[in-house]
Structure formats: C-alpha cells, structure tokens
Amino acid sequence: MRSLEHPDATGSGAATHKPGLWELFFGFARVAAFAFGGVLPWVRYVVVERRHWLTPDEFTDTLALAQLLPGPNIVNMAVAIGARFHGIPGAAASVLGILGLPIAVVLVLAAFYAEFADVPAVERALTGMAAAAAGLVVAMAAKMAVPMLRKRFWPAAPVMAVVFVAVALFRLPLWPVLLACAPLSIAAHWRVR
C-alpha cells in the first residue's frame, strides 16, 4: 500500500491511504453495522476522517456523482470508492460490505415488525430514530458545506441557497432543480476562477 500526502485542514491534499479489497469490504461493513437512520454521515466519517481514503473535496465530488446517478446514493458511493482503488473487484467488495449486514438485519426485523407494528412503544421508538437520522443528515451537510464555503464562498453559497429554497421551502422536485442549478453552478465556478 502506498502512502500519499496527508490532507490539510482545507481538504485540498490527497488521500493518505489506498485500501485493499478486504479493507474496503470491512470498512463498508463497519459503516453498515454502526449506521442507523443514515449511512452517509458514517461513510464520510470512515472514508474521510478516520481512514483517509478520500479528502473532503474528493468525498463531496464523489457524493455529487452518486446523487446524480440512478439508484441508492450509498450504493453508488460504495461502487465509486471501491472502483477508484481496485476497479470492479473493489466496487464489488464495497457493495457487499455496505449491503450484506443490512439485508440480513432487515429481513429479521421485517418479520418482527409485521408482528409488533401496532405496539405504541414500537411507534415511539421509530419516531425517535427518525429524529436522530434527520440530525445526522444535517450534521453531515454542515461538515460538507463548511470547507466548500471557505474555499469557494461566492460560487457555492448562492447555489446552495437557491437549491435549499427550491427543494426545502417550495418543495420543487429535485431533478428539475438539479438540471437548472448544475449549469449555473458550473458557470459561476468558472467565472470566479
């Protein structure tokens, strides 16, 4: 395994570690084992902060690609990260790691939920988990936004604000908002550069 330059505080350095196939599998399996209600914040923690496979900027770029592709974002992220280091075998190892345990757990829980769905304690527990998941998503969004705003405030901030207002406040569909804002974001970035 080769070592690369350590990323600086702004996230502009290169990744520090190239994972092997087993490391990709177990890294994503660990994420799947500990992530409840939202896997993406945990993927960012493991991939960027703990294992240094990607820099914050590389993670954000990969997430942008994963969100534009069809299918679940987290599976797209696993494919992209695994393929980056080991091609098809890396993508397969990452996807098996991220999906193996959750599929087994969901099958078991689905059987229990079918039996106990109407129990008030179960309903309250699910409501609490939903709130925690929302908090994880907000925390991850803030972690991703801060470095981007520090480096590229003027092209990034207006686009972030427009997308937030369009999707969160006006409840416009995500695809038309992305199709409209992506070219504006690219043009704003090129103009600032």
Side-chain angles (χ1 to χ4, degrees):
M1 305 212 183
R2 64 186 173 96
S3 256
L4 302 171
E5 176 188 340
H6 191 280
D8 59 22
T10 63
S12 61
T16 61
H17 179 70
K18 178 182 176 186
L21 289 173
W22 284 110
E23 195 172 358
L24 284 167
F25 173 80
F26 285 116
F28 279 100
R30 180 181 172 96
V31 165
F34 290 104
F36 292 91
V39 178
L40 208 48
W42 281 98
V43 170
R44 187 184 189 287
Y45 170 74
V46 169
V47 169
V48 174
E49 297 174 24
R50 182 157 185 195
R51 302 212 179 188
H52 305 289
W53 296 346
L54 300 177
T55 66
D57 286 347
E58 290 169 336
F59 182 86
T60 301
D61 293 344
T62 305
L63 176 60
L65 174 66
Q67 289 180 324
L68 291 174
L69 295 174
N73 294 344
I74 193 58
V75 174
N76 293 343
M77 286 288 290
V79 169
I81 292 169
R84 173 188 175 116
F85 295 110
H86 293 288
I88 292 172
S94 298
V95 169
L96 288 173
I98 200 74
L99 292 179
L101 180 62
I103 287 172
V105 169
V106 165
L107 290 174
V108 170
L109 289 179
F112 283 114
Y113 183 73
E115 188 69 28
F116 302 108
D118 296 329
V119 175
V122 172
E123 290 176 11
R124 288 191 299 273
L126 290 174
T127 301
M129 285 188 267
L136 285 171
V137 170
V138 169
M140 187 205 57
K143 278 187 174 184
M144 288 176 54
V146 168
M148 191 180 320
L149 290 171
R150 281 187 187 143
K151 287 174 58 177
R152 312 175 274 245
F153 182 82
W154 288 113
V159 174
M160 285 179 182
V162 167
V163 170
F164 176 79
V165 168
V167 174
L169 302 181
F170 291 128
R171 301 193 181 274
L172 297 176
L174 182 60
W175 271 108
V177 173
L178 285 176
L179 290 175
C181 289
L184 295 174
S185 177
I186 293 167
H189 182 71
W190 279 345
R191 184 163 186 200
V192 168
R193 288 182 80 191

